[in-house]
Amino acid sequence: MDDKNMISWSAMITGYARSGDLDSARCLFNEMPERNVVVWNAIIAGYTQNEKYSDVIHLFRKMQQVGSVKPNDITLVCVLSACAQLGALDLGKWIDLFIKRNKVELKLFLGNALADMFIKCGCLAEGMRVFETMKEKDVISWSIIVTGLAMHGYAEEAFSYFFEMLKTGVNPNEVTFMGLLSACTHAGLVEKGLEYFKLMESEYGITPQIEHYGCMVDLLSRAGRLNEAEDLINSMPIKPNAIVWGALLGGCRIYKDFERGEMVVQRILELNSEHSGSYVYLASIYASMGRLDDSANSMLKMRKNGVLKVPGCSWIEVDNRVHEFFMGDRSHPQADKIYSKIRELGPRMKIAGYKPNTDLVLQSVDEEEKENALSTHSEKLAIAFGLVNTSEGTTIRIVKNLRVCSDCHEAAKIISKVVKREIIVRDRSRFHIFREGSCSCNDYW
């Protein structure tokens, strides 16, 4: 084309981004002689759709530095989505102030994104405030609140908002019921969960999807009703996936039903031979039974098959910058200070009652090395970084990509007591708010 205008440039960038080719999209973006808000939105939305949330925030910072292009609703929705995923509360708050200062109308999509950001960053009250100020609310708006209350452990309040939604004439959708079922899961309300699971199809004609079945299996398994959980899986009209079987495996781990657990592992590996959790589970139960050779063979088989364990990753935002940590990570510029803080906390935590759960470490090493391995889990590194870089009394907020392990959960409770700080951890399934040596989940997660 001889004449390439803003529309053609943005169309090409959008096309590349939607096909997952972000490198080509970025090259075109960098080549452009000038850019307007539509082009900026094309590249920012592309990174959002491909879940490159750190890059979304970096691009937005560059857009701000340019200064000549003002963000619009689409820009803000994309950036708020990234903030929600990474727990970047400071930037989310800045956008909230930008909306107020510029008297931007809080339309449906923007209001939903802002409420979702606050809730996923652990600011439930702020999310509720945004929700209440919205002139228009749809099923997504209500589902955000129901799911948010569930994630924070407020099951009864989630049910209350569900009934309030029905009064306004808004019908629930699949996401709403996922919120209700997860509320039941986090509170151990089995009968209530079964009631809502039946209600979604009988009353609202919503066919349960595999995610709903997974949630129900998780609910039954955590309550120790493993027979019912297995029966539900076997009666599913759709083929259960590794996630559904994995929910049952979690119950087998909690209630030490090793025989059923071995069977479940075989089912999972038939569906997904690269399911690292299955190999780790087998190694763990064999080790607990004293079958150390079998435990080692399970980990060896995992390595031979080229299966990689999903690495634990934690994010923390300090001074408008998101910092990322992996287990045993020493790549951060402040690694020396972080590890020094961990060493300093160790004796204080033990005096306060902390006992490292070394059973979680499967390597054949001595107890001291196992304790050292536990001390470098990603959320512990993030907590230590937060303690080093924030003033006394400041709440520490962390996002974890996996479910928090039992040792880190116990450690966070003790640290909150020792340093007199509130620590908020959002893991894959819910929020944990640690205060004065206890957690909002009441140790049920």
Side-chain angles (χ1 to χ4, degrees):
M1 292 173 64
D2 293 327
D3 182 22
K4 299 181 179 71
N5 58 22
M6 292 286 189
I7 296 171
S8 53
W9 280 102
S10 62
M12 288 299 296
I13 290 168
T14 300
Y16 276 125
R18 284 183 180 171
S19 66
D21 188 355
L22 289 175
D23 289 339
S24 296
R26 190 63 178 266
C27 284
L28 280 180
F29 178 78
N30 292 338
E31 288 173 14
M32 289 188 66
E34 59 177 323
R35 307 179 186 107
N36 62 9
V37 69
V38 175
V39 176
W40 278 100
N41 285 348
I43 192 69
I44 288 173
Y47 276 90
T48 305
Q49 290 156 5
N50 286 276
E51 300 181 0
K52 302 291 184 182
Y53 301 116
S54 294
D55 293 305
V56 170
I57 290 176
H58 177 70
L59 278 164
F60 182 63
R61 298 284 190 207
K62 286 190 70 173
M63 182 182 181
Q64 288 178 290
Q65 289 167 7
V66 171
S68 59
V69 181
K70 189 176 179 180
N72 63 12
D73 283 18
I74 297 171
T75 325
L76 299 178
V77 167
C78 289
V79 179
L80 285 169
S81 175
C83 292
Q85 295 301 321
L86 296 175
L89 179 61
D90 289 344
L91 178 56
K93 284 182 174 178
W94 182 91
I95 292 174
D96 185 32
L97 286 173
F98 177 87
I99 290 168
K100 290 173 182 173
R101 278 197 309 264
N102 292 274
K103 297 180 180 177
V104 177
E105 186 181 350
L106 206 60
K107 293 179 182 177
L108 188 60
F109 291 132
L110 184 57
N112 285 345
L114 186 60
D116 188 53
M117 181 279 299
F118 273 125
I119 289 171
K120 285 183 178 171
C121 287
C123 296
L124 183 59
E126 285 296 296
M128 304 283 280
R129 171 189 63 78
V130 173
F131 174 78
E132 297 299 341
T133 58
M134 289 170 61
K135 293 178 181 177
E136 183 185 358
K137 301 179 181 75
D138 63 0
V139 66
I140 296 172
S141 317
W142 287 98
S143 298
I144 286 168
I145 297 300
V146 170
T147 304
L149 287 164
M151 286 181 70
H152 283 80
Y154 296 109
E156 293 302 329
E157 289 81 354
F159 304 150
S160 177
Y161 268 84
F162 172 66
F163 291 120
E164 191 65 32
M165 177 186 77
L166 297 180
K167 286 180 186 176
T168 64
V170 177
N171 282 327
N173 64 7
E174 295 89 345
V175 179
T176 320
F177 276 101
M178 272 302 297
L180 292 169
L181 295 178
S182 64
C184 296
T185 300
H186 299 323
L189 302 173
V190 178
E191 298 307 323
K192 198 83 171 174
L194 290 168
E195 178 188 329
Y196 281 123
F197 186 66
K198 292 173 184 173
L199 188 70
M200 62 185 292
E201 189 160 23
S202 63
E203 187 72 23
Y204 298 99
I206 299 171
T207 303
Q209 302 300 306
I210 201 154
E211 295 83 5
H212 300 100
Y213 281 103
C215 202
M216 286 305 300
V217 172
D218 193 29
L219 171 60
L220 291 165
S221 299
R222 287 180 181 282
R225 293 163 68 163
L226 301 181
N227 288 335
E228 291 174 68
E230 188 176 345
D231 288 343
L232 179 61
I233 294 175
N234 292 328
S235 68
M236 286 173 57
I238 47 181
K239 185 179 180 180
N241 60 13
I243 295 171
V244 174
W245 282 110
L248 178 56
L249 186 62
C252 295
R253 181 184 289 113
I254 294 168
Y255 294 98
K256 303 189 186 310
D257 188 340
F258 298 147
E259 185 178 344
R260 193 193 309 262
E262 286 189 86
M263 177 277 293
V264 172
V265 163
Q266 296 310 315
R267 294 292 184 91
I268 292 173
L269 293 178
E270 286 170 11
L271 292 166
N272 179 9
S273 61
E274 297 185 357
H275 190 270
S276 61
S278 296
Y279 295 98
V280 173
Y281 171 79
L282 282 179
S284 177
I285 63 170
Y286 290 147
S288 68
M289 296 164 69
R291 295 165 59 182
L292 300 182
D293 287 343
D294 288 333
S295 177
N297 286 335
S298 179
M299 297 305 289
L300 185 61
K301 187 177 180 182
M302 177 177 167
R303 284 195 291 272
K304 278 184 176 178
N305 291 342
V307 178
L308 298 175
K309 188 172 182 283
V310 177
C313 181
S314 296
W315 297 270
I316 179 171
E317 183 191 37
V318 173
D319 295 331
N320 292 308
R321 185 183 166 197
V322 176
H323 300 261
E324 183 178 66
F325 295 94
F326 292 91
M327 180 180 172
D329 197 349
R330 286 188 173 271
S331 62
H332 195 279
Q334 293 188 36
D336 290 343
K337 290 182 179 179
I338 293 166
Y339 279 82
S340 175
K341 174 59 71 173
I342 287 173
R343 287 192 296 272
E344 175 204 319
L345 284 171
R348 297 171 65 190
M349 290 166 64
K350 287 186 177 179
I351 291 170
Y354 169 64
K355 294 180 181 178
N357 185 1
T358 54
D359 290 343
L360 295 173
V361 182
L362 299 178
Q363 292 95 326
S364 297
V365 294
D366 61 33
E367 286 297 300
E368 185 178 349
E369 287 182 276
K370 287 184 177 183
E371 289 186 21
N372 287 337
L374 287 172
S375 71
T376 64
H377 279 196
S378 65
E379 51 266 67
K380 292 192 183 88
L381 296 178
I383 290 172
F385 175 82
L387 292 173
V388 167
N389 290 279
T390 59
S391 56
E392 287 188 20
T394 305
T395 297
I396 294 173
R397 301 172 187 273
I398 292 164
V399 175
K400 173 81 186 281
N401 68 328
L402 304 174
R403 186 169 275 169
V404 64
C405 78
S406 57
D407 183 78
C408 286
H409 191 270
E410 188 62 25
K413 288 199 299 184
I414 298 294
I415 293 171
S416 72
K417 182 179 179 180
V418 167
V419 301
K420 294 181 170 52
R421 297 268 202 122
E422 180 180 73
I423 301 171
I424 300 176
V425 178
R426 187 188 95 202
D427 71 5
R428 186 176 61 188
S429 63
R430 64 164 297 152
F431 275 92
H432 299 268
I433 302 173
F434 302 97
R435 293 192 193 101
E436 292 295 324
S438 62
C439 179
S440 60
C441 76
N442 295 316
D443 297 340
Y444 186 87
W445 86 102

